[in-house]
Structures are given as structure tokens and as C-alpha cells.
Amino acid sequence: MESIELQPTLNGLRGTIEIPGDKSISHRSVMFGSIAQGVTRVTNFLPGDDCLSTISCFRKLGVTIEETENEIIIYGNGFDGLKEPNDILDVGNSGTTIRLLLGILAGRPFFSSLIGDQSIGKRPMTRVTEPLKTMGAGIDGRKNGEFTPLSIRGGHLNPIHYKMPVASAQVKSALILAGLQAEGESTIIEKAESRDHTERMIQKFGGEIEKDNLTITVKGGQELIASDIHVPGDISSAAFFLVAGAIVPESEIVLKNVGLNPTRTGIIEIMNQMGANLEINNQNEDAFEPAGNITIKTSSLKGTVVCGEVIPRLIDEIPIIALLATQAEGTTVIKDAAELKVKETNRIDTVVQELTKLGASIEATEDGMIIHGGTILTGGTVSSHGDHRIGMMLAIASLISKDPVKLCDPEAISVSYPNFFSHLNNLKM
Ligand code: S3P
């Protein structure tokens, strides 16, 4: 399927969606299940292409992983259970897989080589490989280890005391995973608070990690014990329907089982700031990862400024926030978001380019974008550029466009939301 023709909705969107499992937590459940001792059972695992790449890499590292209809079962044998792979580890489109995996492999006394798809080949890796080399790992790759293909020979690691130059949960997590294998105590200082799923999962697997504001301390040599994991729904997937419900007239959508970890809920804060008609209920705050249901109704929105500490807590939602802003009254400014340039695509460029094709009034800036609201979107031919979140944002845009939208490369969406179109169609009246 090279393109798909999407029609505007004639009526509102109504109904309930069970949001699929969180991508970040699904990746980590396989990784932690693999490095822990014992059998880990994971329910509501996201069967998206990215998470399947993680499973495939850990199988190549010698871990037995079963996939049944309802759960993923991982037979972990500790860090020492990982074996030198015979084959290249292919991470596909997944930045989380490659960066966290590098942290794990940094402490393993064997050789591995890693590749990914074309997009991965353009994404910066020295943010992870440099500090891991300082700890003692042998890493090389194209352009001095900046890009894939990468090779790594791990082994004995010294602890690290590192002030991170970027706000990135992937970098933080890679260093924590290496720190778990180092001789001594590592300290990692974040630039801004980013998603804390790795820290929560260490505790769930019986390990210890301390956090004091932006400083994280982790001791090496800890043994992790298998633990069953129920993955909450992905707020980054829910975001597309939160925005759809807000901008499509006469809509009311209930999103069930949405992960509400405070390091991920920036989108809710911004939508509230913009005046969205949004309600959270049945919140389970005690779970290892909090979750709840969200009801969203058609909303009258106003523009806002999105910047500063909230950015890492909504970084993946910026494409869909840009669409939301085209329907708000007034101007929305997004800044401090230069990290968007090194995502699956340069998301400042792809968002601005594709929304402009649909008639939006949007301009790129050095570290974000400026969106003038109140525009009526036209139809047209647009492309996901192979980026799942750009594809889904454009599909939601088609709902309110005057004319049909032809979306090229829609299959990228299966990276994080394989059932996206069936969920969307079920809501159409
Ligand atoms: C992720 C961290 C974020 C995010 C990505 C998933 C994670 O990336 O954009 O989709 O699971 O740790 P950065 O760490 O590069 O900000």
C-alpha cells in the first residue's frame, strides 16, 4: 500500500477506544525481562514494529522470548545470560532499541554489530556512544561512532558521573543500564526531567535507584528479579484521538487505559491550557505506571506558548499539537524543541511542509514552529515521510479537511499503532 485516500468526516467522532500498550514501556519490559533472573510475563505489550525489533534483537542475544495471543513471556538469565550474537542486530526504525541496547551491550564481554533503517542511519548516536566509551566500552561506527552501522565490544565498566547535554530519556536510560553493570556508583544529571520508565522498572524488578531532582544515582552489580508487567496504554498514541475529539465538531470520545505517568502528561497540560473539554477519571495512581480514562469532547481552543520544562514531557506529541493549534483561535508558539530535528524525521521540517500543503499557516523556527490558528484545511497529497507520528497527524488532519487527503507511505504508522485506522474508522458516525 503506497498511499491511501482519506475522506473528511461528515459527522462527529463517537465511541470508546482501548488505547494500545505504551511503546517506551513495552521496549523496556523486554529489555528488563531479558537482563533479570527468572520468567517475566508482559500483558498489553505493544505489537508495533519498533517493539518487535527489540524482541528480535534480544532473541539474537540468546534470550528465549515467547509471543502468545495475550502475553509476551521472557526467560531471563541475568546480564550474564546474554550471549554474543551470530548475526547483526537490526533495530529497524527504533531509536529506543538501539540507544538502550548500547547501554546494555557496553557491559557485555563480547562483540555485536548494530544497524537500522535509513532513518536510524541519520540519527545521532555519539550522545550515547561517547559517555559509554568513557565508561570503558569499545564502540566504533560510521563518522567516528555518530551513525550506524555501529560495532561494540563491551566489558568491564567504570562508573560515570555525567551531566547530560540533552534532555533525553534514551541517553539517560542507556547510561543507567550501563551503570547497573559498572563497578561502583554512577551519577547522571538530567538537563530537564524526561520520561522515567527505566527508573520505575528498575524498582519493579527489585533494583535500587535514587532520584534527587535531576540527579540519578545507581549502583553497579545489582541483580534484577523477573516481574510481571502490565503495560498501560500509550499517551502518545492517545494524543491523536485527544486532538481528533477536540477538533472534529460534535465529537465525544472515551480513551480507556491511558498511561498518566507525570513525565508524559505534557499534552494534557497544554490541551487544558488551550481550553480543551477534557476529563480524566478512574485514575489508578498507585500502579507502578499510573493510568486512567480520558473523555474528550469538541472544544473551543485558544493558542498558547509551548516551551521550557514541558517539552521533554510532550516531545513526541508536538506534530499533533501543531495540528491542534491550526484550529485554535490566535497564535501558538512552540520553542525549545530543537530535539525534533533528530527524531524519525526532522519533525520541524516535516510538520511544517506537510501541514502547509493542507493550507495551514505555519512557519518553522530554529527550535520549533509558529502556528497561526483558525485556518480551514484543504485537501491534497501529503506524505508521512516514513514517520509514524507524521502519518497519524495527517490522517487526523484529513478528518477536518474540506476535500479528500491522499496520504503517501501510511504503513509507517505500524511502528507504534498497528490498529490506528481500524480504531479511527470505529469512531466515525
Ligand atoms: C523515548 C524517549 C524519547 C522519545 C522516544 C522514546 C524512550 O526520545 O522521543 O519516542 O522510550 O526513552 P529521546 O530520549 O531522544 O528524547
Side-chain angles (χ1 to χ4, degrees):
M1 184 176 41
E2 281 178 357
S3 70
I4 181 173
E5 177 108 344
L6 301 165
Q7 303 295 333
T9 43
L10 298 173
N11 300 301
L13 300 173
R14 289 181 172 262
T16 300
I17 305 178
E18 195 70 49
I19 295 296
D22 185 278
K23 180 159 80 71
S24 292
I25 300 173
S26 295
H27 281 301
R28 286 160 173 82
S29 68
V30 172
M31 295 182 178
F32 277 89
S34 296
I35 59 176
Q37 276 297 344
V39 182
T40 289
R41 290 172 186 274
V42 186
T43 47
N44 202 37
F45 180 84
L46 172 70
D49 295 344
D50 268 11
C51 300
L52 299 179
S53 294
T54 294
I55 291 186
S56 142
C57 289
F58 279 85
R59 283 189 175 139
K60 286 185 184 170
L61 287 161
V63 183
T64 301
I65 303 175
E66 282 171 21
E67 289 167 74
T68 72
E69 208 183 305
N70 299 319
E71 57 185 8
I72 303 289
I73 310 166
I74 305 142
Y75 297 85
N77 272 313
F79 276 109
D80 290 336
L82 302 180
K83 301 284 176 264
E84 185 169 75
N86 294 329
D87 197 3
I88 298 172
L89 303 173
D90 186 349
V91 304
N93 189 242
S94 177
T96 307
T97 308
I98 192 163
R99 298 207 178 100
L100 272 62
L101 191 51
L102 283 164
I104 292 174
L105 295 175
R108 296 300 85 215
F110 54 70
F111 174 83
S112 315
S113 46
L114 298 107
I115 55 160
D117 68 5
Q118 263 195 6
S119 153
I120 279 290
K122 293 185 199 145
R123 298 183 66 185
M125 294 298 149
T126 36
R127 51 178 60 198
V128 183
T129 55
E130 276 309 318
L132 291 176
K133 283 202 251 183
T134 314
M135 294 176 81
I139 307 179
D140 207 346
R142 195 162 52 89
K143 300 258 191 289
N144 268 326
E146 174 67 327
F147 299 118
T148 56
L150 294 175
S151 65
I152 175 163
R153 184 176 290 280
H156 177 268
L157 294 180
N158 297 312
I160 192 165
H161 304 283
Y162 191 65
K163 195 164 177 201
M164 289 175 40
V166 281
S168 160
Q170 293 177 356
V171 175
K172 170 178 67 173
S173 301
L175 298 181
I176 291 174
L177 286 160
L180 280 173
Q181 304 172 77
E183 201 180 324
E185 192 174 87
S186 293
T187 339
I188 299 141
I189 304 164
E190 287 200 84
K191 191 174 174 198
E193 192 177 31
S194 64
R195 64 193 69 196
D196 66 356
H197 307 303
T198 301
E199 296 90 309
R200 285 172 187 255
M201 213 168 269
I202 287 183
Q203 288 170 338
K204 180 89 169 114
F205 280 78
E208 276 177 32
I209 183 156
E210 276 166 37
K211 193 172 168 185
D212 180 10
N213 287 318
L214 295 176
T215 304
I216 292 154
T217 311
V218 65
K219 282 198 188 76
Q222 299 187 43
E223 180 167 301
L224 300 172
I225 308 296
S227 172
D228 291 346
I229 299 286
H230 180 73
V231 181
D234 197 327
I235 190 168
S236 298
S237 299
F240 297 98
F241 292 107
L242 284 175
V243 169
I247 65 177
V248 175
E250 290 171 54
S251 296
E252 177 165 350
I253 311 175
V254 178
L255 305 172
K256 293 190 83 171
N257 180 35
V258 183
L260 294 171
N261 177 322
T263 61
R264 296 285 298 282
T265 47
I267 172 91
I268 292 175
E269 290 161 37
I270 292 300
M271 286 187 73
N272 280 334
Q273 213 166 290
M274 293 175 80
N277 198 341
L278 177 158
E279 210 175 279
I280 299 178
N281 34 56
N282 290 71
Q283 199 169 348
N284 173 1
E285 287 176 54
D286 302 330
F288 102 100
E289 286 282 357
N293 298 341
I294 307 180
T295 304
I296 179 78
K297 296 182 193 162
T298 309
S299 311
S300 170
L301 302 157
K302 51 184 187 304
T304 192
V305 178
V306 187
C307 66
E309 71 76 36
V310 80
I311 295 290
R313 299 192 295 112
L314 49 64
I315 189 73
D316 292 340
E317 286 65 79
I318 292 179
I320 194 69
I321 290 173
L323 172 65
L324 183 71
T326 66
Q327 302 309 303
E329 190 194 313
T331 299
T332 295
V333 179
I334 300 173
K335 51 188 183 187
D336 304 326
E339 274 294 298
L340 290 175
K341 295 180 184 172
V342 291
K343 295 293 174 190
E344 285 82 333
T345 55
N346 176 335
R347 285 184 177 158
I348 295 182
D349 288 354
T350 47
V351 166
V352 170
Q353 190 180 318
E354 298 310 304
L355 280 177
T356 301
K357 286 184 192 163
L358 295 181
S361 171
I362 177 168
E363 53 198 274
T365 62
E366 251 319 291
D367 63 349
M369 48 195 106
I370 299 171
I371 306 120
H372 304 286
T375 41
I376 295 171
L377 299 184
T378 58
T381 300
V382 290
S383 169
S384 75
H385 293 258
D387 183 334
H388 54 131
R389 299 202 197 280
I390 301 297
M392 286 186 275
M393 180 273 284
L394 294 167
I396 299 298
S398 77
L399 299 170
I400 53 160
S401 299
K402 265 196 331 214
D403 301 306
V405 169
K406 183 175 163 192
L407 173 62
C408 301
D409 216 353
E411 58 277 11
I413 291 173
S414 63
V415 154
S416 65
Y417 203 154
N419 291 334
F420 175 76
F421 283 111
S422 83
H423 283 183
L424 179 57
N425 290 333
N426 286 342
L427 293 174
K428 289 186 180 167
M429 297 305 291

